[in-house]
Amino acid sequence: MFLLFLGLAPALVARAQAVCPVCVVTIGAGLGLSRWLGVDDIVFSVWIGAFLLALVIWTLYWLKKKNWDFKFSGIVAFLFYYVLTFIPLYYVKIVGLPFNKIFGIDKIIFGTTAGTVILALALCLHSFLKKKNNNKSYFSYQRVVIPVVALILMSFIFYILLKQRII
């Protein structure tokens, strides 16, 4: 499942449009707040996945702006950020704990994957809605609201599933 995600993620990154700074700051704030509140790893890591994808998208736009874009820049940027995130987490024993799993996958890796996919789909939904409306947003800050609401909903769903002991 994780290898399938690794194969599909660069394609999702290529389709997603730029992420606004407000969205990245909001994701970062949500990340810090949830960790500070002691929220479960799966809920917390949804925000890690969104934050990493936002960094990848920003990096790709920066590379393109500097004319440093190359054929596999999406894959390289994706692997760069995700590997640089998970290797230290593994060595400090945050990722890879035997009893911190869901469906046989580490909760942080599972949540990060979910957050990445949700943010990519939310950005695609924003692009679709904007394209459908003659390249105009339907409401102010649509580019921020859709991803943040999608991430909050995913976090809430995981929270409810954990509380009900379904996962």
Side-chain angles (χ1 to χ4, degrees):
M1 180 178 187
F2 186 68
L3 291 176
L4 176 65
F5 165 70
L6 281 178
L8 292 176
L12 291 173
V13 169
R15 289 185 179 187
Q17 299 299 313
V19 178
C20 72
V22 175
C23 194
V24 172
V25 169
T26 305
I27 291 168
L31 181 62
L33 180 64
S34 63
R35 192 64 170 172
W36 181 73
L37 292 172
V39 176
D40 190 271
D41 284 343
I42 195 166
V43 176
F44 167 79
S45 59
V46 166
W47 294 87
I48 293 174
F51 190 74
L52 290 174
L53 181 61
L55 286 174
V56 169
I57 294 169
W58 270 15
T59 300
L60 294 177
Y61 275 92
W62 182 81
L63 288 173
K64 192 173 281 190
K65 192 169 143 183
K66 297 286 185 181
N67 291 324
W68 294 345
D69 195 25
F70 52 95
K71 187 174 183 178
F72 297 109
S73 58
I75 294 170
V76 170
F78 180 84
L79 290 175
F80 176 78
Y81 285 114
Y82 284 77
V83 167
L84 276 177
T85 299
F86 285 110
I87 287 177
L89 291 177
Y90 176 77
Y91 281 110
V92 296
K93 306 281 190 242
I94 293 175
V95 171
L97 300 174
F99 298 109
N100 195 29
K101 295 186 180 226
I102 182 168
F103 307 123
I105 302 169
D106 186 88
K107 282 184 174 183
I108 294 176
I109 292 173
F110 187 88
T112 301
T113 303
T116 300
V117 170
I118 290 299
L119 180 60
L121 292 174
L123 292 172
C124 290
L125 175 62
H126 161 69
S127 295
F128 171 76
L129 291 173
K130 190 173 174 183
K131 189 176 183 181
K132 200 171 175 183
N133 195 28
N134 297 321
N135 260 352
K136 296 178 189 171
S137 294
Y138 282 99
F139 55 91
S140 297
Y141 300 104
Q142 174 181 307
R143 185 170 68 173
V144 176
V145 171
I146 290 175
V148 171
V149 168
L151 290 167
I152 290 170
L153 283 173
M154 177 55 56
S155 298
F156 185 69
I157 289 168
F158 280 154
Y159 174 78
I160 295 298
L161 293 174
L162 285 166
K163 279 294 189 195
Q164 299 298 321
R165 298 194 177 166
I166 296 171
I167 58 172

